Amino acid sequence: MELLRANLSRVRIPEPTNRIYKQECCISFDTPKSEGGLYIDMNTFLAFGKDCVGWNFEKTGNPVYLHIRQTKKLVPEDRPLKKPTLLAIGVDGGFENNEPEYEETQNIVILPDYVTLPFPSVELPEKVRLAVDAILMAEGAERKEQVASWTADTKHVSEYALNLQQLGDGVIIPPSGWKCSKCDKTENLWLNLTDGMILCGRRNWDGSGGNNHAIEHFNETGYPIAVKLGTITADIDAADVFSYPEDESVLDPLLAQHLAFFGIDFSSLQKTEMTTAERELDQNTNFDWNRIQESGQDMEPLFGPGYTGLVNLGNSCYLAATMQVMFSTRSFCSRYYMNQSLKKAFEAAPADPTVDLNMQLAKLAHGLLSGKYSVPAPEKEDSANVANATPNAKQEGIPPRMFKGVIAASHPEFSTMRQQDALEFFLHFIDQVERVNAGKPEFDPSTSFKFGIEERLLCPSGKVAYNRRHDYILSLSIPLHKAINKDELEAFHKCKAERDAQGKKVSTDEIVRPRVRLVDCLRSFIAEEEVHDFYSNELKAKVTATKTAGLTSFPDYLVLHMRKFVMEAGWVPKKLDVYIDVPDTIDISDMRSKGIQPGDELLPEPAAEDVAEPKLLADEEIVSQLVSMGFSNLHCRKAAINTSNAGVEEAMNWLLSHMDDADIDAPISQEAQSVDQSKVDTLVSFGFQEDIARKALKASGGDIEKATDWIFNPTNISSSSDMDVSSSSTSIVDSSLPDGGGAYRLMGIVSHIGTSTHCGHYVAHINKDGRWVIFNDEKVGVSKNPPKDMGYLYVFERINS
């Protein structure tokens, strides 16, 4: 006790604003349930596992820790089950998930000799007791960052339901045979509870669903609430009720009364339609889902180093699939595991290692590659009794919470719980890794993915221009006209048309999809392409040039992005339902660019008067963050421009000090010149957000078709500024890039299930130790049939000759 009193100055009582870590070690994946428990530094409130707490003492000198350890309780096998009262799992009143119960013990531990004092104890100094109580009562920082990840959204009673006025027009709704009042839709129909109009629902992202007539009716009339026909049954609370002003599914406690107004007896109706939530789930339960996840097959589980699963934090499968592939490459394994220990990374980290990307990458690498956390989990039914616990074909996996927090800090979308595009995440991740290793190229593993692209533009004058850039992915269009099963496709479409005429549906296993060879996708990248509106400094006019492209270097790892998301006629977004024939090895030697050729005459440099002074455009990320704080879009753009996009804080300070300016509401002239508002409105009418529409138009030189293509494939479109360059002055030195032969072997696949990159599910398949392995969140096992023809991203490793 005297030793504790001597170190009281190193103990702090946490303030409400302090972040307190008590669920996971900051530099490993140990938890209070781990063998050694968790040690919480009572000065910094950072948590450390048994193997790491000594390193923290060496670094900070902080000697006093709260040691929390949780051990499983022995629970009688005949324990009665509680009846659920909430649609949730693992919360009070929800469904039991058969998770074991734990008994927690707390002690005060003083380093370096690990002197242990029990808590609670009346002999402890009051400051220590107050500090421990505050730590135990506080919500952990880890939990705050993962709020509501698995609990189903709770519907609230609509504010419009209790006082809903219904129009007495004598409308009687029949019990069946419904049809949209404004089109021929007979599914996804909504009954407006004010006037009894039956109208179709919203058009889905992939063009399916309704024709937006229900929402248009609300916009015209303001009638607020509708119920989905086909979801009304005797269990009236399960009906799908939507409030348009609140823009969410709601509860209508007077639904029975509102239905009776239109002659509907809910007790006699049968369910014929899925609710919105059920449909979203069902969209993913299809052929793609089963094939990519290899469902219905006995999967041999794998454990040990390199076979650790990643727990889904709530729509984080895009992160899990990408990171499994990254840490299966030699470059990332060497940088963050083989050549850098956890201790070394912790010693180099700042005072708070939870915000250091290098530290969290080392932690993630250790978690995935050490094998420490890749062990069989005990079966849940036996987990209450440790003596009877038996290994099962699953592992618990590790939750990448802290890594996600760090990597998402500079990106407002990745910090949300929404699903994201694995391609966008990969590019953002590579960018952050490059930044954190700035000035240390020899340590930068992202370099192994980097390569050069050269574009040759031939002007009708006969003169040429060369443009060079660096990239990390090769984005490939899919030439459907090159399908190798055209006869089979033609026969299938003929059969389908006959079935449709008979009112019959084609079963999932009968569907025939186009099959395109990967080599044809690669050839489409280097094929000649017309570039319209190319400004020739030789002819002093806009002309149609011919563009060819090639690679100036071959990276250690080649990432191919398949452009499956396209725009159909009528500007309808669509995911291509196509197979890609991908061989185990490829040779891209013929894709190497040849550089300036003998006899090439370069286009002249643009005259000084032809070079327009570049206009500063507002950084969209700064604008979006300021808009989310309640400021107008125009004011936020002015703030970003007037602070040269220095950052959110600088822009906010400018905004607060210029709110009273006389011209604060005046339009931004240079913005109006760079983006045509009518084109923005056109893209918005397609269903895209205005800020995304503006960004796409800027990136595509104001061309609507290219802008829509950019929205789906932002890495592939070339900006107009690239197309206007008429000389070789833009050459980029490639000497620092990795290079070698053009022979590659397939080592990783990231597959996507769903109609949009922002919904659905991602799964990784990786060739390890001479066999294919599936990584499906925390599930890791031998892949019997890897979906090589269904990938979204393909990762090839160069074969060293």
Side-chain angles (χ1 to χ4, degrees):
M1 195 65 68
E2 290 304 316
L3 183 59
L4 177 58
R5 294 184 187 279
N7 287 287
L8 276 182
S9 62
R10 307 301 292 268
V11 174
R12 287 199 303 141
I13 300 174
E15 300 290 336
T17 55
N18 288 136
R19 295 196 304 168
I20 300 172
Y21 291 89
K22 58 181 183 179
Q23 275 113 29
E24 182 180 295
C25 173
C26 293
I27 53 180
S28 76
F29 288 93
D30 286 356
T31 71
K33 299 182 180 70
S34 300
E35 182 182 357
L38 210 58
Y39 294 81
I40 302 172
D41 186 329
M42 295 191 67
N43 183 271
T44 64
F45 313 120
L46 296 171
F48 301 91
K50 179 182 67 173
D51 297 333
C52 306
V53 66
W55 305 342
N56 184 62
F57 173 71
E58 293 175 9
K59 182 176 180 178
T60 66
N62 294 336
V64 186
Y65 296 82
L66 171 62
H67 182 217
I68 300 178
R69 189 176 181 188
Q70 296 175 348
T71 54
K72 292 173 184 173
K73 285 184 178 180
L74 295 178
V75 180
E77 295 183 3
D78 58 351
R79 176 182 61 177
L81 296 176
K82 297 178 182 178
K83 183 178 180 180
T85 58
L86 290 176
L87 182 61
I89 297 175
V91 299
D92 290 340
F95 292 91
E96 291 196 40
N97 55 5
N98 296 322
E99 290 292 339
E101 295 183 5
Y102 287 85
E103 189 171 41
E104 184 172 289
T105 58
Q106 298 109 18
N107 293 292
I108 302 299
V109 174
I110 306 170
L111 267 58
D113 297 324
Y114 288 86
V115 176
T116 302
L117 303 172
F119 181 87
S121 171
V122 294
E123 298 180 4
L124 291 174
E126 183 181 13
K127 183 180 182 181
V128 175
R129 285 190 282 112
L130 291 173
V132 172
D133 286 340
I135 291 172
L136 296 177
M137 290 177 63
E139 184 176 23
E142 307 96 332
R143 177 63 180 169
K144 287 182 178 179
E145 294 169 1
Q146 296 297 327
V147 131
S149 60
W150 287 114
T151 303
D153 291 336
T154 303
K155 294 182 182 180
H156 70 274
V157 174
S158 171
E159 60 181 279
Y160 298 90
L162 299 179
N163 299 309
L164 183 71
Q165 293 187 355
Q166 295 184 280
L167 303 180
D169 295 332
V171 177
I172 301 297
I173 305 300
S176 61
W178 306 304
K179 180 183 175 183
C180 177
S181 299
K182 295 187 177 181
C183 68
D184 58 358
K185 290 286 185 181
T186 57
E187 295 180 347
N188 190 22
L189 300 178
W190 294 78
L191 171 69
N192 191 288
L193 292 176
T194 297
D195 61 1
M197 286 284 285
I198 296 176
L199 299 158
C200 60
R202 304 190 199 209
R203 181 179 290 111
N204 295 326
W205 175 258
D206 61 351
S208 64
N211 291 320
N212 296 323
H213 287 142
I215 181 67
E216 289 173 1
H217 185 62
F218 161 71
N219 291 333
E220 294 168 3
T221 64
Y223 300 156
I225 302 177
V227 60
K228 187 173 185 180
L229 294 172
T231 68
I232 307 166
T233 66
D235 182 10
I236 195 168
D237 291 336
D240 204 353
V241 181
F242 192 86
S243 170
Y244 292 104
E246 296 162 288
D247 196 26
E248 59 183 330
S249 294
V250 296
L251 293 176
D252 177 4
L254 303 179
L255 182 58
Q257 174 183 322
H258 293 152
L259 293 173
F261 183 85
F262 299 112
I264 298 176
D265 178 8
F266 68 88
S267 63
S268 63
L269 296 180
Q270 299 294 319
K271 185 172 181 178
T272 60
E273 283 263 10
M274 289 183 289
T275 64
T276 304
E278 289 170 337
R279 183 170 293 277
E280 289 173 356
L281 179 62
D282 187 69
Q283 283 178 343
N284 292 322
T285 310
N286 53 24
F287 177 77
D288 288 356
W289 180 274
N290 293 327
R291 169 84 185 282
I292 291 175
Q293 294 196 124
E294 302 187 52
S295 302
Q297 302 183 33
D298 293 330
M299 185 180 72
E300 177 189 346
L302 293 173
F303 306 97
Y307 297 107
T308 308
L310 286 169
V311 174
N312 196 315
L313 306 175
N315 280 336
S316 64
C317 55
Y318 67 92
L319 178 151
T322 304
M323 297 315 299
Q324 291 287 9
V325 175
M326 290 297 97
F327 280 107
S328 295
T329 63
R330 291 189 306 272
S331 52
F332 274 88
C333 289
S334 299
R335 171 67 174 91
Y336 292 108
Y337 183 67
M338 296 173 64
N339 297 334
Q340 183 181 43
S341 66
L342 276 180
K343 184 177 182 181
K344 184 177 179 181
F346 177 61
E347 290 171 346
D352 186 352
T354 68
V355 298
D356 182 59
L357 179 58
N358 182 65
M359 176 69 252
Q360 293 309 314
L361 280 170
K363 170 180 173 175
L364 185 61
H366 182 267
L368 291 174
L369 304 176
S370 67
K372 179 179 179 180
Y373 306 99
S374 182
V375 295
E379 293 189 9
K380 289 184 177 180
E381 57 266 27
D382 293 333
S383 58
N385 191 327
V386 178
N388 296 329
T390 57
N392 130 351
K394 297 179 181 179
Q395 57 172 288
E396 292 183 355
I398 55 176
R401 296 188 190 96
M402 293 184 188
F403 167 71
K404 184 175 184 287
V406 173
I407 199 67
S410 58
H411 196 289
E413 272 300 307
F414 294 135
S415 60
T416 70
M417 301 298 285
R418 294 188 291 270
Q419 182 62 280
Q420 305 296 334
D421 183 357
L423 171 67
E424 291 182 19
F425 178 76
F426 167 74
L427 292 173
H428 174 70
F429 169 71
I430 287 290
D431 176 67
Q432 295 302 301
V433 170
E434 188 177 39
R435 288 172 185 266
V436 82
N437 288 286
K440 300 175 291 184
E442 67 277 13
F443 295 113
D444 184 4
S446 71
T447 305
S448 63
F449 292 86
K450 197 172 187 178
F451 58 92
I453 294 177
E454 180 179 75
E455 294 176 345
R456 181 180 187 268
L457 293 135
L458 174 62
C459 172
S461 67
K463 296 185 178 181
V464 297
Y466 285 88
N467 296 324
R468 283 190 174 187
R469 70 176 189 275
H470 288 162
D471 214 329
Y472 293 96
I473 61 104
L474 199 59
S475 188
L476 302 177
S477 59
I478 303 173
L480 293 177
H481 65 281
K482 294 280 190 178
I484 59 177
N485 59 338
K486 292 180 180 177
D487 292 342
E488 191 180 358
L489 276 170
E490 185 178 347
F492 165 71
H493 289 305
K494 182 178 179 181
C495 174
K496 185 176 183 299
E498 294 174 354
R499 295 277 189 92
D500 289 343
Q502 299 170 2
K504 298 179 181 179
K505 290 186 177 181
V506 177
S507 62
T508 301
D509 56 358
E510 292 180 296
I511 295 176
V512 176
R513 295 167 170 83
R515 187 171 289 277
V516 179
R517 299 185 306 164
L518 178 64
V519 66
D520 289 322
C521 300
L522 290 167
R523 285 173 181 167
S524 70
F525 180 83
I526 59 175
E528 285 191 357
E529 175 186 351
E530 288 188 345
V531 178
H532 302 286
D533 295 328
F534 173 80
Y535 185 80
S536 168
N537 292 313
E538 175 71 14
L539 302 176
K540 304 297 182 183
K542 286 188 175 182
V543 297
T544 297
T546 302
K547 184 185 78 172
T548 54
L551 276 61
T552 62
S553 63
F554 293 155
D556 296 335
Y557 293 94
L558 178 67
V559 179
L560 303 182
H561 163 233
M562 308 312 298
R563 300 176 61 190
K564 291 189 173 182
F565 297 92
V566 297
M567 295 296 287
E568 277 195 322
W571 304 101
V572 177
K574 177 186 177 181
K575 179 181 178 181
L576 294 180
D577 196 8
V578 60
Y579 290 141
I580 309 296
D581 268 5
V582 179
D584 291 331
T585 61
I586 60 174
D587 192 328
I588 61 169
S589 299
D590 62 336
M591 295 182 67
R592 189 179 288 275
S593 63
K594 299 179 175 59
I596 299 177
Q597 297 297 296
D600 276 353
E601 187 175 354
L602 298 179
L603 283 165
E605 296 281 353
E609 59 269 20
D610 295 334
V611 180
E613 183 180 351
K615 301 179 178 67
L616 179 66
L617 301 177
D619 185 296
E620 296 296 335
E621 291 186 8
I622 295 175
V623 173
S624 64
Q625 290 188 57
L626 288 177
V627 168
S628 68
M629 299 175 190
F631 299 104
S632 75
N633 188 283
L634 174 63
H635 295 173
C636 297
R637 290 184 178 281
K638 285 194 171 186
I641 290 170
N642 281 281
T643 56
S644 300
N645 294 321
V648 175
E649 185 176 352
E650 291 82 356
M652 181 182 288
N653 290 337
W654 183 94
L655 192 56
L656 294 175
S657 59
H658 289 79
M659 288 298 292
D660 296 326
D661 288 2
D663 62 346
I664 190 66
D665 292 316
I668 304 172
S669 57
Q670 62 179 10
E671 184 79 8
Q673 294 170 13
S674 59
V675 178
D676 187 332
Q677 183 60 42
S678 65
K679 294 181 179 180
V680 174
D681 294 339
T682 300
L683 286 177
V684 170
S685 71
F686 296 155
F688 302 122
Q689 296 179 5
E690 182 173 348
D691 58 338
I692 297 297
R694 286 184 178 278
K695 192 172 182 180
L697 287 166
K698 292 171 193 172
S700 55
D703 185 289
I704 290 184
E705 184 173 356
K706 289 182 179 179
T708 53
D709 190 37
W710 184 94
I711 291 173
F712 290 101
N713 305 284
T715 60
N716 193 61
I717 205 75
S718 296
S719 68
S720 59
S721 61
D722 291 336
M723 294 297 97
D724 290 342
V725 172
S726 301
S727 74
S728 60
S729 61
T730 54
S731 295
I732 301 173
V733 177
D734 291 339
S735 58
S736 62
L737 301 183
D739 200 4
Y744 287 84
R745 73 173 183 89
L746 181 63
M747 59 84 61
I749 308 168
V750 175
S751 305
H752 172 262
I753 311 161
T755 56
S756 161
T757 54
H758 293 91
C759 70
H761 188 60
Y762 287 96
V763 175
H765 286 77
I766 302 171
N767 194 335
K768 282 194 172 191
D769 303 324
R771 63 187 171 188
W772 280 94
V773 179
I774 179 173
F775 291 85
N776 184 6
D777 290 334
E778 72 273 15
K779 304 178 187 69
V780 182
V782 177
S783 172
K784 295 182 178 180
N785 185 26
K788 297 179 184 178
D789 52 3
M790 300 177 74
Y792 177 56
L793 302 178
Y794 291 96
V795 182
F796 284 84
E797 181 180 30
R798 188 170 58 227
I799 301 173
N800 294 318
S801 55

